[in-house]
Amino acid sequence: KASVPRFAALLPVKENEKDPWDDKTGMYMIFLPFSDDTRSLDFPPQPVADDEKIPGLIESTRKLITALVGDVNPESYQNPSLQKHYRALEAMALEREEPEAVEDELVPSDGFQDIEAEIKAIEDIVNEIEEPEPRKRKKAAGRGGRSGGAKKAKVAVVINDADYRTLAENNGLKSLKVAQLKDFLRAKDLALSGKKADLIERIQKYFSDQDAS
């Protein structure tokens, strides 16, 4: 009684004799949308990769995708977790001491080890990109036009100069995130603009000026 009537389309699927694991013979039921469900969506323009702004990103990404592309269909391989379970049941039924080992056919081959260099190159490029400043959210008005709820106190970021100095002396500032570098610069009333390399150079100059004075 509480069910809602729906229109559906039945889509027949042909049998795939070449690959039994890929055989999806049968009828597929596809629910049709109501007129209220169909609407035109207005997608905002998305950023486009630009080699002038981020040099090397397009080529590094192209190499990574080329290394990942292959004729691998996961549906053509057995689930290793299920196979281990089946082997354990088989060992119990046949009173074996240990189940037979299961070979995980989804483990990447040695050829996939080559993508680590491409991943590292993309990570290095991304780390050089300046993180955008967080947008300020508008406060939701409560009853009577007043802001709902009490204001949350800002948590002060504790900056340890000794830790940052040690990292600067041992060339370890690269391991910090851009936000952490900006926290230090903000605490010292220094500029926050520029890429990650600019922020690191600014912190190193801060300690150099301190040592010189």
Side-chain angles (χ1 to χ4, degrees), residues 131-156:
E131 294 184 1
E133 293 291 339
R135 296 181 179 179
K136 296 181 180 180
R137 297 182 178 180
K138 296 181 179 179
K139 298 179 180 179
R143 297 179 180 178
R146 298 178 181 178
S147 59
K151 294 182 179 179
K152 294 183 179 179
K154 292 184 178 180
V155 180

Side-chain angles (χ1 to χ4, degrees), residues 54-74:
I54 312 175
L57 180 59
I58 295 178
E59 184 62 28
S60 299
T61 307
R62 184 181 290 111
K63 290 181 180 179
L64 175 61
I65 294 176
T66 303
L68 290 174
V69 171
D71 299 330
V72 178
N73 183 9

Side-chain angles (χ1 to χ4, degrees), residues 124 127-128 163-164 166-168 170-181 196 200 204:
D124 294 340
N127 288 335
E128 294 294 330
D163 293 340
Y164 279 85
T166 302
L167 291 173
N170 297 291
N171 198 22
L173 292 175
K174 295 180 180 179
S175 62
L176 298 180
K177 295 182 178 180
V178 173
Q180 294 173 308
L181 299 174
K196 185 176 182 178
I200 294 175
Q204 291 174 337

